Amino acid sequence: IQYSYNFKDFLVNLSFLFTFSINFQTLLGYQNPVSSLAVGHFWSLGIEEQFYLLFAPILYLLRNHIWIVLLGFISTGFYFYYTHENFFVGFPNYSYYFTAHRFLFFGAGGALAFFLRYFSLSMIINYISSQLKNPKVSSVQLNSGLFSPSLLQKLLNRKSFIYVILGIQLYLLVQAMLYLFGIKFTSIESNFIIDILVALLIIVVAIADYSVLYILGLETKFFKYLGKISYGIYIFHVFSIFLAYNLLKNIGLKDSNTNLFYSVFLFLSLGISVGLATLSYHYFEIHFLKLKLKFQAAK
């Protein structure tokens, strides 16, 4: 690409970067090769920050009406998800990068978290049955059941259910690996219903505190450490790929042996990503992570 980076593009990149709006830079067509190679993938971080900056104050003001807030975000996201063709005509990436389009997923996740925190399936069943038997029974009398063990948790403790969850995990893991190696599968379509179900499965696995990764021997300190620095890996992985590619190209490996190039390229880019993420975590991120302890103490 013949491209001359200039001061105007530099200011444009900084303005979108420091306002958490890389997604709008891409959406509006203001992205350039420098920003796309360095921070183009920050579009998802921008959407997250925009959601939190909007959701947190609204939730605080309407903290006694959480369901209204959640339904509002879900409805807004649902509306934009199915009517995106009526907005931003001429912007083909609108449905992918526009913040409100993602409210459906944030809202669904928030609704699930709220449900698991304050309700149980057994409580709802008991409430419905009590209303059928005696409509005069008030919901206030059932408040003691809000924090009772849910039916979901009881299922998770059954060995048969554990095997089912592990089987589903293994199936999804195999499909994901096939996808990484270019083998397309049709059992999991990229739509919001499947995305929500897969996210629910992950949450169930987290609650159950067991996974197929443990059985396969992947629950090691090394992989747990990679999880700890995974945010940095995401931040630096595009830059690492670009850097590894140019390093190998400059030493002539790209033109000499294609198979060797891709093998070295894979491990070199991964190594650079992990290395930069490690430095970022220990010398930068850790200072901000410690601030959470102060806020928790203040609360």
Side-chain angles (χ1 to χ4, degrees):
I1 301 176
Q2 298 297 324
Y3 170 74
S4 178
Y5 194 54
N6 53 67
F7 187 68
K8 179 181 177 182
D9 287 340
F10 175 74
L11 293 179
V12 169
N13 289 341
L14 285 184
S15 63
F16 283 104
L17 178 64
F18 287 112
T19 55
F20 301 107
S21 56
I22 296 294
N23 58 314
F24 286 105
Q25 183 180 18
T26 305
L27 172 66
L28 299 174
Y30 294 146
Q31 200 170 46
N32 50 68
V34 173
S35 61
S36 62
L37 289 173
V39 295
H41 58 298
F42 284 17
W43 68 267
S44 60
L45 302 179
I47 290 179
E48 291 175 18
E49 294 298 336
Q50 293 159 27
F51 170 77
Y52 294 140
L53 290 173
L54 180 63
F55 182 74
I58 293 178
L59 187 62
Y60 178 78
L61 294 174
L62 300 175
R63 53 188 176 276
N64 295 325
H65 305 282
I66 297 178
W67 271 115
I68 296 178
V69 177
L70 292 174
L71 289 176
F73 275 91
I74 293 175
S75 301
T76 301
F78 193 84
Y79 175 78
F80 280 101
Y81 190 90
Y82 284 102
T83 61
H84 59 82
E85 294 181 355
N86 299 329
F87 300 91
F88 290 98
V89 177
F91 297 93
N93 294 323
Y94 158 77
S95 62
Y96 199 79
Y97 295 109
F98 188 53
T99 308
H101 180 267
R102 301 292 174 171
F103 282 176
L104 175 62
F105 308 102
F106 284 110
L112 178 61
F114 180 79
F115 179 84
L116 293 177
R117 176 65 178 84
Y118 293 102
F119 291 91
S120 67
L121 295 180
S122 59
M123 183 273 290
I124 295 177
I125 294 174
N126 292 335
Y127 176 74
I128 294 175
S129 61
S130 65
Q131 289 295 310
L132 293 176
K133 295 178 181 179
N134 186 4
K136 295 182 180 180
V137 177
S138 65
S139 59
V140 178
Q141 294 176 272
L142 298 173
N143 282 343
S144 59
L146 287 176
F147 299 97
S148 61
S150 66
L151 181 61
L152 177 61
Q153 192 63 50
K154 292 179 180 179
L155 284 173
L156 293 176
N157 292 328
R158 295 182 178 273
K159 289 185 178 181
S160 58
F161 192 73
I162 292 176
Y163 294 144
V164 172
I165 291 296
L166 292 176
I168 295 175
Q169 290 181 62
L170 183 60
Y171 174 75
L172 293 175
L173 181 63
V174 171
Q175 297 288 3
M177 293 302 296
L178 292 176
Y179 178 79
L180 290 176
F181 286 96
I183 302 176
K184 185 178 180 180
F185 57 93
T186 58
S187 59
I188 302 178
E189 297 296 335
S190 179
N191 56 63
F192 77 96
I193 296 178
I194 297 299
D195 290 340
I196 292 175
L197 291 177
V198 172
L200 175 61
L201 175 65
I202 295 173
I203 295 173
V204 169
V205 171
I207 296 175
D209 199 27
Y210 50 73
S211 71
V212 70
L213 298 179
Y214 179 80
I215 295 178
L216 296 176
L218 298 178
E219 289 281 357
T220 63
K221 291 183 178 180
F222 173 73
F223 285 105
K224 288 182 179 179
Y225 181 77
L226 289 182
K228 183 182 294 186
I229 64 172
S230 59
Y231 179 77
I233 293 177
Y234 173 77
I235 292 295
F236 295 109
H237 81 278
V238 175
F239 172 76
S240 300
I241 291 173
F242 177 73
L243 180 60
Y245 178 86
N246 280 275
L247 288 174
L248 296 179
K249 181 179 180 181
N250 290 336
I251 65 175
L253 184 60
K254 182 179 185 300
D255 300 322
S256 60
N257 190 319
T258 304
N259 293 329
L260 178 61
F261 166 77
Y262 282 112
S263 299
V264 176
F265 171 64
L266 171 64
F267 290 101
L268 181 59
S269 57
L270 179 60
I272 295 174
S273 298
V274 172
L276 292 176
T278 300
L279 293 174
S280 175
Y281 179 81
H282 289 284
Y283 296 102
F284 181 74
E285 298 170 38
I286 194 68
H287 300 292
F288 295 92
L289 293 174
K290 290 180 179 179
L291 292 177
K292 292 194 297 183
L293 301 176
K294 295 183 178 180
F295 283 104
Q296 291 174 356
K299 181 179 180 181

